[in-house]
Amino acid sequence: MEDTASDSTTESPKGKKAIGKLIIIALVLIGIIVGFNFLPVDEWWKAATDWIEGLGVWGPIAFIALYVVCTVFFIPGSALTLGAGAFFGVVWGSLWVIIGANIGANVAFLIGRFFARDAIAKKTADSPTFQAIDRAVGNEGWKIVGLTRLSPVFPFTLLNYAFGLTGVKWIHYALASFVGMLPGTIMYVYIGSLGKLAAESDETSTAKTVLLIAGLVATVLVTVVITRAAKKALAEKTDIEVE
């Protein structure tokens, strides 16, 4: 009986955190719907879309460059990822984010390895999480890189630099980061694409709307399953307490 009570007490915070994430996603979706109904979003959208289209081929290039700059300078790219879905759609938006995020991650890795070792070492010296990751990388290498991308337990922008201090080979880091970023990137771009759907609601058929929403639900579910599996695997390979 005591063990059962202990288990339920341990799992409760995790359950609350999962519910909190679902609530945040729901609020984002509600915010998009409310915004398009009560604010002059149509005008804002047209102005922004015209500006992006006016850039032509430079539009995606400018977006990728901005994403790289944000990644290198420790600026979270969540808003840009959502924006990619809104302006470019799921397929192209995901592609531009993946390119920008990976270029930025690799630039930060190389800076951390060759030019800013002392500064990054000071930032991570007191972090038990990074120390655990560092030890695990010595044994598992690219696997740990991939798992941390799938299960973020460390700030993404700082982790790019921090991996430069470990013994992981650059090519292994680059490939594992690329694969590990895919699920989360596609999910956030998909959520952002709902803005485009809302703006084009008059021209979008009901069937297409249902399919897009169903696709979003499936994407979120797959991402959650992958993230949970990655967290479990990461916890088994390190002494990090992953919630």
Side-chain angles (χ1 to χ4, degrees), residues 23-227:
I23 291 174
I24 290 173
I25 292 175
L27 289 174
V28 170
L29 296 178
I30 292 172
I32 291 173
I33 295 171
V34 171
F36 274 89
N37 280 279
F38 296 99
L39 295 173
V41 178
D42 288 343
E43 297 177 12
W44 301 344
W45 176 264
K46 187 177 185 307
T49 302
D50 289 345
W51 182 76
I52 292 291
E53 292 178 350
L55 293 175
V57 70
W58 292 104
I61 294 174
F63 176 85
I64 291 170
L66 180 59
Y67 212 108
V68 171
V69 170
C70 288
T71 303
V72 172
F73 286 94
F74 301 97
I75 301 172
S78 302
L80 281 175
T81 305
L82 292 169
F87 289 113
F88 302 112
V90 177
V91 176
W92 289 109
S94 296
L95 179 61
W96 305 144
V97 170
I98 289 167
I99 292 174
N102 278 274
I103 292 175
N106 281 279
V107 169
F109 174 88
L110 295 173
I111 291 174
R113 174 155 291 185
F114 297 109
F115 302 105
R117 292 189 66 89
D118 293 340
I120 302 303
K122 288 179 181 178
K123 280 184 172 290
T124 58
D126 298 327
S127 171
T129 299
F130 176 71
Q131 300 306 323
I133 290 174
D134 189 22
R135 290 191 296 272
V137 165
N139 298 320
E140 302 285 348
W142 63 271
K143 294 180 183 178
I144 300 301
V145 177
L147 289 173
T148 56
R149 296 308 192 192
L150 291 168
S151 171
V153 296
F154 205 72
F156 171 77
T157 52
L158 181 56
L159 189 60
N160 296 324
Y161 286 94
F163 270 124
L165 305 184
T166 69
V168 66
K169 293 181 179 179
W170 170 73
I171 188 63
H172 293 168
Y173 164 84
L175 292 175
S177 292
F178 171 77
V179 175
M181 289 180 196
L182 289 175
T185 295
I186 293 172
M187 183 184 73
Y188 280 103
V189 171
Y190 214 131
I191 292 173
S193 71
L194 292 182
K196 185 175 183 179
L197 172 65
E200 300 171 348
S201 57
D202 293 338
E203 304 172 4
T204 304
S205 66
T206 302
K208 184 176 180 180
T209 301
V210 171
L211 285 174
L212 286 172
I213 294 175
L216 172 63
V217 172
T219 302
V220 171
L221 289 176
V222 170
T223 303
V224 169
V225 170
I226 292 173
T227 300

